[in-house]
Amino acid sequence: MREVESFETSEGRHIYALPIEAFPDFFVNIYVISDGERRFLVDCGSPMEKSNRDLVAALETASERFGEPLSLATMDLIFITHGHTDHFGGLPFVRRHTDAPIGVHVLDRRILSHHEERVIVASKHLQVYLARSGLSQNARQGLMQMYLAPKSMYRSTEVQFELEEGPRAEDGVEIFHVPGHCPGQVCIRVDDILLAADHVLSRITPHQSPESITLNMGLGHYLDSLTKIQPMEGIRLTLGGHENPMEDLFGRVGEIKASHDERLTKVLDLCRSEPQSIAAVSKSLFGDVKGYTVLLALEEAGAHVEYLYQRGELVAGNVEELRDQEEPVIQYQAE
């Protein structure tokens, strides 16, 4: 686990990086933006008690180390970068300590403010996706239980404002809407530092999920969003929602694009030999993974299959089954 750090922008503002354990052995970076008078909390970890304790402890450590009064009570605004539980799940806990207004992009707003409804609707879409992917019923039931478990720990929390594309002159930051990893994913520019959340990470390629499960996700949206920020000028340092800082945003975006190109080529090669279900593609790409990683692998494989299918490079190879069966498993083949 990384230490609490402080980064200074070109205009003399400070960004405090607070690594916390959002889930067992899974770490997330929380940030505080400060100009010495106003302080903005960027994300807040998961609903796990350990995550909440880590957040309070990290703020105390930063306050002692850097000599600035940092606590939940001293926050003036709360920015949520996207609607994934490891980034917003701590809001009910945070709300007990501050009434600072909460902001998120409109496409992720109901995930925070109408969470229980959102989980029910999303789970129905996921169940259909898993059935069509070719996974057995027992495997599907196990994955749905794992999918729903952490989401049941969060309770809907009211949102006070929306993070819209463009400069927020009153706060001195600029918002970039970059859908793909999540519908409402945003990056936040603070002078010459970019808070990239889960849009760009230093080591892994951020997880992708098909748009057939949730609108405004999908690999097509994600690649377009990478293209949007790749030429951004004047960025000296990029700080991700996980992992380490990045000094070369342009180069890292290029590496992520190349990784997806390689994976798309692999999917096409697999589907040239014989028609493949998404479950079969996932196993070929990622092997025999276990636990929650099975769901992540199925979504990642499906995002790439969907991208190729949308562009006509893959087609359904079992059209008669699709016509005659109520819940068919789609077999994809390369054109």
Side-chain angles (χ1 to χ4, degrees), residues 17-37:
L18 315 174
I20 67 172
E21 190 174 12
F23 295 109
D25 296 320
F26 183 78
F27 296 87
V28 62
N29 296 324
I30 309 303
Y31 295 100
V32 175
I33 304 167
S34 172
D35 62 5
E37 295 182 1

Side-chain angles (χ1 to χ4, degrees), residues 81-83 104-112 118 162-164 177-180 182-186 211 214-217 221:
T81 60
H82 62 292
V104 70
H105 191 274
V106 64
L107 293 183
D108 281 353
R109 180 169 188 148
R110 74 187 182 101
I111 299 175
L112 276 59
R118 156 67 185 168
E162 294 174 359
L163 296 178
E164 299 180 354
H177 179 217
V178 285
C182 204
Q185 170 77 73
V186 299
E211 191 172 20
T214 302
L215 294 176
N216 295 294
M217 294 180 70
H221 285 293

Side-chain angles (χ1 to χ4, degrees), residues 164-307:
E164 299 180 354
E165 177 88 18
R168 288 180 57 88
E170 69 277 22
D171 301 322
V173 302
E174 186 171 4
I175 304 298
F176 295 86
H177 179 217
V178 285
H181 175 71
C182 204
Q185 170 77 73
V186 299
C187 294
I188 303 173
R189 179 169 185 164
V190 190
D191 305 326
D192 60 345
I193 294 180
L194 183 70
L195 302 182
D198 286 7
H199 187 51
V200 181
L201 299 175
S202 64
R203 182 179 59 85
I204 67 168
T205 57
H207 177 62
Q208 300 304 309
S209 181
E211 191 172 20
S212 60
I213 298 176
T214 302
L215 294 176
N216 295 294
M217 294 180 70
L219 187 58
H221 285 293
Y222 180 64
L223 294 176
D224 287 345
S225 293
L226 286 178
T227 299
K228 177 179 182 177
I229 70 161
Q230 189 172 24
M232 192 180 294
E233 296 182 354
I235 295 298
R236 172 178 57 86
L237 189 66
T238 300
L239 305 176
H242 307 272
E243 303 178 349
N244 296 321
M246 295 161 277
E247 295 183 353
D248 181 9
L249 176 63
F250 180 88
R252 182 59 189 142
V253 169
E255 291 171 354
I256 293 173
K257 285 183 173 181
S259 175
H260 285 296
D261 286 342
E262 181 180 352
R263 189 163 288 166
L264 288 167
T265 299
K266 288 181 180 179
V267 173
L268 280 173
D269 288 342
L270 286 169
C271 295
R272 282 195 182 98
S273 58
E274 61 178 313
Q276 302 273 329
S277 68
I278 289 175
V281 171
S282 177
K283 187 171 183 178
S284 295
L285 289 177
F286 304 108
D288 291 318
V289 293
K290 304 296 183 183
Y292 198 77
T293 308
V294 175
L295 178 58
L296 297 179
L298 282 166
E299 290 179 338
E300 187 78 26
H304 288 76
V305 168
E306 179 184 77
Y307 181 87

Side-chain angles (χ1 to χ4, degrees), residues 28-70:
V28 62
N29 296 324
I30 309 303
Y31 295 100
V32 175
I33 304 167
S34 172
D35 62 5
E37 295 182 1
R38 301 182 74 209
R39 300 169 189 90
F40 309 147
L41 182 68
V42 181
D43 292 339
C44 59
S46 81
M48 301 282 289
E49 289 186 11
K50 175 70 162 58
S51 177
N52 296 333
R53 291 197 304 268
D54 279 2
L55 176 56
V56 171
L59 286 166
E60 290 175 352
T61 298
S63 184
E64 293 171 1
R65 185 172 298 175
F66 304 114
E68 181 167 354
L70 298 173

